[in-house]
Every structure is written in structure tokens, then in C-alpha cells.
Amino acid sequence: PIYRGETLEKIEDAKVQKIVEKVETRFRQFHGPMRVVISIISVLLIGYLLAYIMGFLTSQQTFLYLPQFRAMGLALIFIMAYLLTPFRRQSPRDKIPWYDFLFMLMGVGPCLYFFFVYPGRIGMMRLEGPHEVVLAVFLLISLTEATRRLMGIAVTTILLIFIMYPMVSAYAPGFLHGRGLTPTDAVSRFFLFESTGIFGSFLELALGIFFIFLLFAAFLQVTGAGDFFMNLALSLMGHVRGGPAKVVIVGDTLLGTMTGSAVANVVASGVITIPLMIKTGYKRHFAAAVEAVSSTGGQLVPPVMGVTAFLMAEVLNISYWQIAVAAIIPSVLYYLALYFMIDFEAAKNNLAGRPRAELPHFWKVLGQGWFLFVPLGILVYFLGKLAYSPEKAALYATGALMLLSFAKKETRLTPRKILQGIESTAGSMLEVTIMTGAVAIIAGSVAVTGMGVNLSGGLVDLSGGNTLVLLLLTAAACYVLGMGLPTMASYLLLALLVAPALVKGGISPFVANFFIFYWSLTSHITPPVAPAAFVAAGLAGASMWQTCWTSMRLGLILLILPFFFVYNPALLMQGSALSIVEATFTAIIGTIVLASALQGYLFDYTKLWQRVSMGIGGLLLIFPDWRTELIGVGFVIPAVLLHWRSARANKAEKLAVAELSNTQNL
């Protein structure tokens, strides 16, 4: 179709490009000398963090205390943040106003001061003199402004509330009442304390574990791993019924586990997969919903699971490998439900896959990039078998990737690609580091006032001791508090405020944190915010709200699974081998049946009573208890058998009509 001299395809491509630019180009775009300056600072930041992880800054000749390391790292992050992020989205992208340098100095100055005075101030808990109070206030102002630019107004508002809360908690009513602090005592704790301050362990996570995994993911990208994974998925699934939509599952599972961002994953893969799905015949809103749900689920898939899993390991004080193992069954069920709903949608609309001639050849694609799986294998081996720390495991995997990249000319890490990977990592570090600094303040505020204990007590009292009511209240709190937040920020906030309520209600800390981890992901695909769904809808040119509601249906397993593994943690690999196998088998059957009920299709279109019966039975089969599973079988088998008989009869009738039509034509 022609519109004002342009084809519709060109118009849609322009729209997609605008959406991609809006998501990806949050930073200023420099050329010339300023571009060189940004590259130099990026190299300094990455080099400094690598030097510490590799032990060069903890030797006898050059020794830094951990808080010193964190302070210098945050200073470099502040420099990058204010050079790259404009005051507003509409601000000019090619120049830096004077007030950005002022905000930068307000952040860098206190960090450098802390770096130099810390060795002589270990154990001191009060600020000395008005100048330190001023520095502490400056640091809070700079961190708040950087949070606003990088994380948005929602996170900034939460941060401001928790900065002020210790100063007014003594006057607050009900469960909000807590131990009050003077303004000086409050900023002292935020500035000096390692346990409740900005330079605490949360910041170390960002500058250590998160950094090295972001570097690993960035180098994977510049070697062409994203294209390789997507081509591999196309070669495997592109030809089957509704193939392009199933390609999304394989591609996002491989790619999304490393990005840690649902929106970034939608943009990275959606520009390829969404047009393919639409051309195959999927409705625009359905194609967008598939991409949103698949991209969100990437953070559930071991071995990396984004960066939130490492944060959970830190909160629970357990090894990351325990988190990764526990996540296997839920992630399989999540993508299994999505796969069958895609398949049933394709069957309903007679959507065939793409011709094999249009798809890449599997063995050819594998031959071009098989070695990109080796670093992932090394990562899993070092984390699981050798029980190395996440930093060391990712460091060895990154080193192996750099060496193996020379296997092919196309993947070779040239100096230009290395610089590109370093700059990409530095850009990704800004949001992660500033966010952990903000969360450190929130954690400190909750700890010193006792808010977490009070809130958990209030939720337990409100539930009246009923576990299901407590879970529903907790889920509602997770939904409201996590709305619009990135997964990591949402999880941390919920871990501080909501998880203690579940623990107080008799649920183990391990299961409680998995519950809130899953619910921290729901805001990506549930209204009214649903950033992953809205971005995918923009790429598809679909209705935002139609995409959002379809995303909820396709990702329903994300909302219900947490309730099930609270009642029986076998789905989290907790318990005997027999109970885990039994729970997994029935949950797989239940997931397929539930997907059929939600789509209204199995062998043919299902009747309403069959959908209801299969939906109830599917839920009972997923619930890991033999009594509910038996009841579930009682709901499922009659509905499926009767549906199979009617579908078979309909098929025979259609064949007979077709044969009669052919005979008459002859």
C-alpha cells in the first residue's frame, strides 16, 4: 500500500526505529574530543574494577579497604552518569550544561573525601564537623538526581521518602511508627555506616558480581552471540507450526538470561521477531505479547538469570548455585506454558512455519558459532562443580570467550570491538550502580527504624494466621510496590519490606524470597505500567492495552506458580528425589492442560465447560500434592476424552464434505 509516496513497510520501519532510539539512546551522543573523553573514562572504570576483582588492589603493595574501593568506583560512576545522562529527555544531546558539572562535583567530592579519610575513621559512627554534614547532604542530593535521570521519577520518589522517613518515623502512626533519628544522625548513617550506608555491601554487588557479568554479556554481544542465538533458534523452530513465535522462546531464553532487562531484551530481539510473527499471520497484539512475555522470562532461566539472582543469593547468604538449581523447574514450566499457547494459537489460525529455504541451515549456523556455548559451559562448571565465586567464574568465562572469539574472523574481538564492549558495560553499570546506592539507603532506613518488622507484623495480623490470605496480601503489596520498577530494584524493595512477613508467617526465607522474586517480574507484563508489553506493542504497531491483557494471559503461570511452591517447595528442588520427580511430571501435564484451557483449543476448539474443567484440573495438577493431583485428573480426563471424540468426529465430517465436493467437481 502507498501512503504519501511511501510504502507502509517503510513507514512502520521508521516507527520501529523511533521506538528503538527512544529506549536505547537515553545517553548523550558525543563526537570528537568529548567522545574520546568518554572512552577514556569507560576504560578507567572497567580497568579499575577488573584490577580489584583480579587482586591487584588487595596486595601488600597496593591495598584498598572494601569501602574505599566502593567509594572510588562510585565516584567514577558519578562522572560517567552526569556526562552521559541529560537533565531531561528533551535536553540537547551534544553539550553539557554547567549545572551537570555541579551535580557531578556534589557526588564525586564526598566519594573522594571518604576514600582518603576512611583508613583513619574505621569504626567511627558520627560525622565530625559541619563540613562532613555538608558533604553527606551533597552526596544524597547527587545520588537522588542521578537516580531520577537513570531510573525515573517512581524510584526517585521512593528514595526521597526513605531518606526522610527516619527523621519523621517517631511521629508516624500504626506500623509506620519507628525509632526516630535527628537529621544529622540520619545522614551520618547514610554516609559512614557500612551496614546501612551508601558505601555498603549492596554497592559492592554492583561493582563486583554485576559488573563482571555485564562485561561477559557485552563481550558476547560484540562477538555476534545475539545474532548467532537468533539464527540458531530460526534454524531449529522457524519451519514448524507458528515457527517464528517459537523462535522467540529459544532466542530469548538464550539471550534474556544475560541481559537482566525485559525491556532491553524486547528491543534487542523484538525488532527481528515481531515482524516475522506478523508476516506469519499472528495478530499484532499477540506477536507483541509473545515477545514481552518471553523477554520477561529470560530472567528466570539459569545459569545467569539476569543479575537479580545474585542479589537474592546475597540477601539469603547462600551460594548462587542453589538459586540457579531451584529455578530450573519453574523456568521450564513458564516457557512450556508459553510454547503451547503459541502452538494452540497457530493451530486455531492455520499458521504454518516459514519455508526452510528462507531459514538458516542448522549445521551451518552451529558451525559458525558453536564455540560461543563454551564460555557458558565454563561458567556453569565453575559455578556448580568447582563452587567458585560468581566473580571468578564469570572472569574465567570472559577470558575463555576472548580467546575463543579468534576461532572465526567474524567473531574476533578486535581492539575496536573490545572498546565497544567496554563502553557498553560502562553504560550498563550506570543504572545498576546508582540503583544499588539508592537501595542501600532504603535498606538502611528500614533497618534503623524497624519498619520491616512493623510492616511484616501488620500483614501477619491482617491475615489472621491464614497462609493463603497472607500470600494474597503479600502478592498485592508486591504488585503495588513493584509497579514500574526494574526487576532488581523491585526485588530489593520487596525483600526488605514484604519478605519478612512471609517468614514471620512460617514460610522459609528461601521460598519467601523466590515468591517475591517471581512477583517482582509481574509488573513487566501486567497493567497499568507493563513496560515490556508497552514497548513490544509499539514495535508491533498494536493496541497497548490489548497487548497488555494478552501478555497477562500468556504469562499467567508467572502469577500462580509462586503460590504453589510455597505450599510444596518440591517445584524448587526442595525435598526428596521422588517428590521432586512426581511434582515435576504432574506440573508439566497440568501446565499443558492449563495452556489449552486459556487458549480454548486442544485437538480442536474446546467448549466452555471443557475449558473450565481443564482449567481447574490443570491448576490442581500443577499444585504439588498427590490429593489435589488426583482430583485434577478427575477434572481433566473426562473433558479431554470427550473433546477428543468430538474433534475426531468433526475431522471425519470435514473430510467427508471435502471428498463429496471433489467428487461433484469431477
Side-chain angles (χ1 to χ4, degrees):
I2 304 298
Y3 179 73
R4 292 183 183 175
E6 291 186 286
T7 64
L8 181 61
E9 188 173 344
K10 285 184 178 179
I11 294 170
E12 291 187 345
D13 285 346
K15 289 180 181 178
V16 168
Q17 189 60 34
K18 285 181 180 179
I19 294 166
V20 173
E21 288 176 358
K22 185 178 179 181
V23 174
E24 291 187 336
T25 58
R26 297 177 302 159
F27 300 143
R28 293 186 175 106
Q29 304 299 308
F30 292 113
H31 303 282
M34 200 61 206
R35 169 73 176 166
V36 176
V37 169
I38 296 297
S39 297
I40 291 172
I41 298 172
S42 299
V43 171
L44 284 174
L45 172 64
I46 303 308
Y48 172 74
L49 299 180
L50 276 175
Y52 195 89
I53 289 175
M54 296 172 72
F56 294 122
L57 300 181
T58 54
S59 62
Q60 290 183 349
Q61 293 78 16
T62 310
F63 180 78
L64 291 181
Y65 291 100
L66 266 175
Q68 283 182 291
F69 161 68
R70 300 165 190 160
M72 183 59 74
L74 184 58
L76 291 169
I77 290 292
F78 274 130
I79 295 172
M80 289 281 293
Y82 285 108
L83 287 179
L84 288 176
T85 54
F87 185 78
R88 293 183 303 172
R89 293 286 176 125
Q90 297 80 16
S91 300
R93 298 301 179 99
D94 56 350
K95 59 183 178 180
I96 306 172
W98 64 269
Y99 49 80
D100 278 6
F101 289 104
L102 178 61
F103 280 123
M104 184 195 301
L105 289 173
M106 291 172 73
V108 173
C111 290
L112 294 180
Y113 178 85
F114 184 91
F115 177 87
F116 288 110
V117 304
Y118 178 80
R121 299 285 297 278
I122 297 175
M124 294 189 68
M125 299 183 181
R126 294 189 64 84
L127 298 174
E128 290 184 351
H131 67 287
E132 290 195 348
V133 176
V134 172
L135 286 172
V137 172
F138 280 174
L139 181 59
L140 290 175
I141 292 173
S142 183
L143 181 66
T144 303
E145 173 58 15
T147 303
R148 185 192 67 81
R149 297 186 185 197
L150 287 161
M151 308 297 299
I153 195 65
V155 182
T156 308
T157 303
I158 293 171
L159 174 61
L160 287 170
I161 290 171
F162 280 96
I163 288 175
M164 300 301 299
Y165 179 65
M167 307 173 200
V168 300
S169 60
Y171 311 102
F175 68 87
L176 293 175
H177 181 80
R179 175 193 171 196
L181 299 176
T182 65
T184 303
D185 285 341
V187 296
S188 295
R189 288 181 175 272
F190 295 148
F191 187 54
L192 285 179
F193 280 41
E194 289 185 41
S195 58
T196 59
I198 294 172
F199 304 117
S201 58
F202 285 124
L203 190 58
E204 184 186 349
L205 280 176
L207 300 175
I209 295 176
F210 297 170
F211 151 68
I212 194 63
F213 275 91
L214 288 172
L215 183 69
F216 178 58
F219 278 3
L220 269 175
Q221 289 284 4
V222 296
T223 56
D227 293 337
F228 166 69
F229 290 148
M230 192 55 64
N231 285 331
L232 193 66
L234 279 167
S235 67
L236 285 170
M237 307 294 294
H239 65 284
V240 300
R241 184 169 69 183
K246 295 171 182 176
V247 166
V248 176
I249 294 178
V250 180
D252 286 343
T253 302
L254 294 170
L255 183 63
T257 184
M258 292 174 290
T259 63
S261 170
V263 173
N265 204 26
V266 168
V267 173
S269 59
V271 292
I272 301 171
T273 57
I274 289 176
L276 271 177
M277 286 188 275
I278 293 171
K279 287 177 182 177
T280 301
Y282 286 103
K283 294 181 177 68
R284 289 177 178 271
H285 70 274
F286 189 88
V290 168
E291 181 58 53
V293 174
S294 186
S295 294
T296 299
Q299 297 173 74
L300 303 174
V301 181
V304 181
M305 301 172 64
V307 293
T308 309
F310 298 103
L311 196 54
M312 194 194 308
E314 179 73 14
V315 169
L316 291 170
N317 195 26
I318 61 175
S319 73
Y320 162 75
W321 191 245
Q322 291 176 260
I323 304 289
V325 170
I328 292 173
I329 297 173
S331 63
V332 168
L333 295 178
Y334 180 88
Y335 277 110
L336 190 69
L338 180 59
Y339 177 91
F340 276 97
M341 282 194 268
I342 289 170
D343 187 64
F344 294 142
E345 182 73 14
K348 284 196 297 185
N349 295 282
N350 296 315
L351 305 180
R354 308 297 295 176
R356 281 190 179 273
E358 296 180 10
L359 300 172
H361 189 272
F362 173 75
W363 292 111
K364 185 178 179 180
V365 173
L366 191 64
Q368 290 173 345
W370 63 268
F371 52 88
L372 293 171
F373 284 111
V374 176
L376 291 173
I378 290 173
L379 180 65
V380 172
Y381 181 76
F382 277 58
L383 280 172
K385 180 68 175 178
L386 301 183
Y388 275 35
S389 68
E391 298 99 310
K392 281 191 175 181
L395 187 64
Y396 284 117
T398 305
L401 174 64
M402 295 181 73
L403 291 174
L404 288 166
S405 72
F406 286 89
K408 294 282 184 181
K409 183 180 178 181
E410 297 79 11
T411 61
R412 192 172 300 158
L413 280 174
T414 61
R416 184 177 180 180
K417 284 185 178 180
I418 291 174
L419 180 61
Q420 185 182 345
I422 287 173
E423 290 178 343
S424 174
T425 306
S428 301
M429 283 292 297
L430 299 185
E431 183 175 296
V432 170
T433 309
I434 294 298
M435 182 164 55
T436 50
V439 168
I441 291 178
I442 296 172
S445 181
V446 170
V448 299
T449 59
M451 181 187 182
V453 176
N454 295 338
L455 180 60
S456 62
L459 286 174
V460 171
D461 292 341
L462 196 60
S463 70
N466 186 297
T467 302
L468 179 59
V469 174
L470 177 61
L471 290 173
L472 290 171
L473 289 171
T474 304
C478 291
Y479 177 74
V480 174
L481 292 173
M483 200 177 293
L485 298 182
T487 306
M488 189 171 70
S490 177
Y491 167 75
L492 270 175
L493 186 63
L494 298 172
L496 294 169
L497 297 178
V498 181
L502 295 177
V503 176
K504 194 171 183 179
I507 299 168
S508 75
F510 184 83
V511 176
N513 275 269
F514 254 95
F515 183 93
I516 64 169
F517 171 49
Y518 268 62
W519 269 88
S520 68
L521 287 166
T522 58
S523 65
H524 292 300
I525 56 174
T526 54
V529 182
F534 284 172
V535 171
L539 292 174
S543 162
M544 298 288 187
W545 288 105
Q546 201 173 8
T547 300
C548 204
W549 293 115
T550 306
S551 297
M552 269 194 70
R553 174 164 54 86
L554 296 179
L556 184 66
I557 201 79
L558 183 67
L559 281 70
I560 62 176
L561 261 186
F563 290 90
F564 292 160
F565 54 59
V566 164
Y567 282 98
N568 189 342
L571 292 175
L572 295 177
M573 296 282 197
Q574 307 289 298
S576 66
L578 181 61
S579 65
I580 292 170
V581 170
E582 179 207 347
T584 303
F585 176 74
T586 56
I588 288 173
I589 302 300
T591 298
I592 297 171
V593 172
L594 181 61
S596 172
L598 290 169
Q599 287 297 92
Y601 193 95
L602 184 56
F603 306 111
D604 199 345
Y605 285 93
T606 52
K607 297 176 182 178
L608 179 59
W609 75 266
Q610 292 169 343
R611 292 184 68 176
V612 173
S613 182
M614 290 166 64
I616 295 171
L619 289 172
L620 293 173
L621 281 169
I622 299 172
F623 192 92
D625 183 276
W626 66 270
R627 288 161 293 194
T628 60
E629 289 163 357
L630 283 177
I631 299 172
V633 168
F635 273 96
V636 169
I637 288 181
V640 171
L641 285 177
L642 289 172
H643 167 68
W644 176 73
R645 285 182 61 186
S646 63
R648 191 178 177 186
N650 288 339
K651 185 177 180 181
E653 184 179 344
K654 289 177 183 177
L655 287 173
V657 170
E659 287 178 5
L660 179 61
S661 176
N662 290 334
T663 303
Q664 290 174 345
N665 290 335
L666 288 173

